[in-house]
Amino acid sequence: MITPRIPRPNIHEFDFLIIGSGVAGLFAALHLADRGSVALVTKDTLTESNTEYAQGGIAVALGHDDRPEDHAHDTLVAGAGLCDPAAVEVLTAEGPPAVEELMRLGMRFDRKAGELVRGQEAAHGRRRILHASGDETGHEVERTLSRRAYVHPGITIFDHTLMTDLLVVEGRCVGCDALALPDAERVRFVASVTILASGGLGQVYEVTTNPLVTTGDGMAAAWRAGCRLLDMEFVQFHPTALYHEGSPKFLISEAVRGEGAILRNAAGEHFMPDYHPEGDLAPRDVVARGVFSQMRKDGRGYVELDFSSIPLERFLSRFPGIVAELRRLGFDIYRERVPVAPAAHYAMGGIGADLRCRTDLPGLLAVGECSSVGIHGANRLASNSMLEGLVFGLRAAAIAPALPRLSYELLGVAAELAPPPVRCAPTALRAELQSLMHTCAGMERDGETLLEARDTVRAWAAQIATLPVSSREEAETANMVTVANLILTAALARTESRGAHYRTDFPEPDEAWRRHIALRMDAAGAVTTQFAPVENALSKAPAASRRAANSEADEWRD
Ligand code: SIN
């Protein structure tokens, strides 16, 4: 436990600092809070996160007819050759106890006659998706975990606090600098271990299902601190976001197709069987591309989702959130098909981390969507993301207390350092960037367009550091420019098509490209591209580990 020295305003000292309050951050916080003091830093309200809006549920092999090996198999197939098998094995084998732990904390999944109800989603070989309140699983997860976090004496919540940069002293992460909002007052957190659980980057795209908070802040800060980012070119588009005005786009869960809904073109034809034998339940990247291609053939910005084969009573009880939102927007769900189109949904890539959540930077762990552990490959299997947050949230909580504590001297240096200027970009740039990414790095990409977009974004990036700070939006916009540059760089480098990355100039997968792209900043601040084999490139773990994270903690002392 760090003994606070002379308390000073605006400097907070904790054992563990967690940035982000989705499922991964909250789960890690609750499992660390008995081992030391925890600061939970989040830039909006505690529950505002991608987790909050997750509909489908949590994929886990808990059924008597299911096995983690089968779940692993489906994950590997969906990942299009780029998943690291060791990471997938950890996810699927440690998934069942992690979900049981979530239930122990109070999570109530939907049940029928006392048994857990298991839903079907695309590319799963069987029903294994647990859900809650029908289609409000993420909301229930956030509610369950945040209620506990609010009352836990070991957790101090700093909401409306935007992390601006990681604090690095003598090659080690020792906390972060932040802005307390809305006044943008500078604050500093000093901690022995920092865990980034800051989520994804969907807002980099004009059309996204992700809430406004998803601006890639954690990835951008890790990048500036010298961490390696992996597989940034793989941004998953969800095939069925509601086609309507405004952002973010309302998601219509894949579970709706799991229950029998089908996609139809302008002529009313059921078109997905023309694209894949699994039809509407093909892997997500395949369905998204099928929808995109059909939209082009039809000359419309959407296709239609037909719910009519789902009995109405079932539809109303299984998807109350979707029904309520569609009604609010004026759709007559009894009679109408609903227009849908693909939208940016999930970042498969992120901060390179090993199976123990360790990044390249000592003292810094990364979990959940901001990290890239090798689970999702080129295309994440539906409903694996909250499971990742649970499994790796627990793993982070297991290793963090075993990592070296900050010395009194280092703590002193960290507290004294002058805060660096906050990087800002004009908020007007945000819409321009989103539109550029949508057009140039969306569902289809090609070398010429990517190169042009990358040069534009790099020119924006070069202006960023010089602007004075004034708001959350300006700092976020700078982070969006940083991660957009990384997406474009990796997408340009990968001259093949695989999973969510489709290049019209290289339309086929290429076995020589069955490797990860790792981006790093060189001494001059430029992006360098390296390659890493498919395996957990950063992991020193045995190839397959089924041991519980806790029992491994002792081996991690280094
Ligand atoms: C959905 O409900 O379709 C989204 C689930 C996911 O992204 O895993």
Side-chain angles (χ1 to χ4, degrees):
M1 179 82 70
I2 292 174
T3 314
R5 298 153 318 120
I6 306 159
R8 274 181 294 173
N10 296 353
I11 296 191
H12 305 286
E13 294 170 13
F14 286 86
D15 293 305
F16 308 112
L17 166 63
I18 299 178
I19 299 159
S21 56
V23 57
L26 286 171
F27 213 48
L30 290 167
H31 290 89
L32 266 176
D34 294 330
R35 310 287 301 273
S37 56
V38 175
L40 187 54
V41 168
T42 190
K43 69 178 174 181
D44 207 285
T45 57
L46 188 64
T47 55
E48 186 64 6
S49 61
N50 255 343
T51 300
E52 172 70 19
Y53 299 93
Q55 295 176 359
I58 301 182
V60 63
L62 266 180
H64 53 83
D65 59 345
D66 200 0
R67 300 178 310 163
E69 296 90 300
D70 298 335
H71 184 188
H73 169 84
D74 294 344
T75 302
L76 291 167
V77 172
L82 222 62
C83 301
D84 290 310
V88 172
E89 184 168 1
V90 165
L91 176 82
T92 53
E94 294 180 11
V99 169
E100 275 158 5
E101 170 62 3
L102 178 66
M103 291 195 268
R104 190 189 67 77
L105 292 182
M107 177 71 188
R108 297 200 177 176
F109 289 105
D110 294 336
R111 289 178 185 265
K112 196 168 179 183
E115 294 292 314
L116 289 168
V117 180
R118 287 176 289 141
Q120 178 72 58
E121 284 184 14
H124 284 275
R126 53 173 51 76
R127 289 187 165 265
R128 64 164 68 94
I129 319 298
L130 304 187
H131 48 82
S133 299
D135 55 5
E136 300 196 336
T137 315
H139 172 70
E140 293 300 332
V141 168
E142 280 290 311
R143 200 159 67 118
T144 303
L145 299 181
S146 62
R147 278 181 174 180
R148 285 191 173 258
Y150 276 123
V151 296
H152 199 299
I155 300 176
T156 309
I157 294 166
F158 295 85
D159 54 10
H160 299 285
T161 303
L162 172 71
M163 180 261 307
T164 51
D165 263 310
L166 294 165
L167 188 56
V168 181
V169 177
E170 294 173 15
R172 177 176 172 179
C173 181
V174 295
C176 79
D177 284 311
L179 297 177
L181 302 167
D183 300 332
E185 186 191 354
R186 310 263 347 225
V187 287
R188 170 163 291 175
F189 295 87
V190 179
S192 282
V193 181
T194 299
I195 302 177
L196 277 176
S198 47
L201 49 66
Q203 281 293 323
V204 167
Y205 286 86
E206 186 176 17
V207 180
T208 179
T209 60
N210 291 187
L212 296 176
V213 290
T214 58
T215 51
D217 306 330
M219 295 181 198
W223 173 256
R224 290 193 290 271
C227 292
R228 171 157 60 158
L229 274 84
L230 292 170
D231 293 343
M232 291 298 285
E233 66 276 34
F234 294 107
V235 177
Q236 181 170 70
F237 280 71
H238 196 290
T240 59
L242 185 65
Y243 179 80
H244 68 132
E245 287 300 308
S247 176
K249 299 293 177 196
F250 181 67
L251 179 70
I252 307 217
S253 175
E254 195 151 295
V256 171
R257 278 174 285 129
E259 295 300 330
I262 57 176
L263 289 157
R264 294 191 185 277
N265 63 17
E269 293 154 353
H270 180 202
F271 61 86
M272 267 315 296
D274 297 343
Y275 291 89
H276 194 278
E278 303 289 332
D280 300 89
L281 294 181
R284 189 172 284 176
D285 57 325
V286 175
V287 181
R289 263 198 311 286
V291 167
F292 192 67
S293 148
Q294 194 58 53
M295 281 162 42
R296 188 173 286 150
K297 283 184 196 162
D298 290 350
R300 306 199 289 189
Y302 59 90
V303 295
E304 292 177 359
L305 194 55
D306 179 354
F307 307 126
S308 60
S309 66
I310 309 175
L312 193 60
E313 280 309 306
R314 170 142 189 77
F315 192 66
L316 295 177
S317 66
R318 174 70 180 84
F319 302 110
I322 293 174
V323 169
E325 184 62 10
L326 290 179
R327 282 192 172 145
R328 192 184 70 79
L329 293 168
F331 288 96
D332 179 351
I333 58 152
Y334 297 94
R335 290 184 191 84
E336 276 180 279
R337 294 181 197 146
V338 169
V340 292
H345 183 63
Y346 188 86
M348 265 76 73
I351 305 158
D354 67 11
L355 295 182
R356 291 97 181 234
C357 313
R358 294 181 300 190
T359 68
D360 302 335
L361 183 61
L364 179 68
L365 306 180
V367 285
E369 189 173 349
C370 72
S371 71
S372 179
V373 185
I375 292 168
H376 306 302
N379 175 53
R380 178 177 61 88
L381 181 66
S383 289
N384 267 356
S385 49
M386 282 200 280
L387 188 68
E388 178 187 10
L390 294 172
V391 167
F392 286 86
L394 278 183
R395 283 191 153 236
I399 186 177
L403 294 172
R405 294 300 164 104
L406 274 193
S407 66
Y408 195 79
E409 290 72 35
L410 212 52
L411 212 156
V413 176
E416 299 301 338
L417 278 181
V422 176
R423 277 152 218 259
C424 289
T427 45
L429 197 58
R430 186 179 286 228
E432 232 180 301
L433 175 76
Q434 290 167 326
S435 160
L436 182 82
M437 291 299 285
H438 183 73
T439 311
C440 305
M443 295 277 310
E444 288 188 353
R445 298 135 179 219
D446 67 75
E448 204 178 313
T449 320
L450 285 168
L451 185 62
E452 223 171 279
R454 194 202 60 181
D455 289 348
T456 304
V457 168
R458 285 194 178 174
W460 289 337
Q463 299 164 11
I464 279 174
T466 58
L467 292 160
V469 56
S470 65
S471 72
R472 162 177 157 177
E473 287 71 22
E474 286 177 341
E476 286 177 336
T477 307
N479 290 334
M480 291 163 71
V481 171
T482 299
V483 292
N485 181 18
L486 301 179
I487 294 168
L488 291 164
T489 302
L492 192 54
R494 183 173 289 278
T495 49
E496 66 153 357
S497 290
R498 183 183 294 277
H501 172 71
Y502 185 78
R503 288 272 304 247
T504 52
D505 46 353
F506 295 95
E508 298 299 327
D510 177 350
E511 191 51 27
W513 267 110
R514 222 161 72 76
R515 50 194 178 149
H516 302 290
I517 291 180
L519 302 175
R520 223 185 235 300
M521 199 191 308
D522 70 11
V527 184
T528 62
T529 305
Q530 302 164 343
F531 304 98
V534 172
E535 258 308 312
N536 197 294
L538 300 175
S539 173
K540 293 186 203 133
S545 167
R546 285 168 175 256
R547 282 167 294 172
N550 276 333
S551 67
E552 286 189 10
D554 288 344
E555 296 171 33
W556 297 344
R557 290 172 211 280
D558 52 7

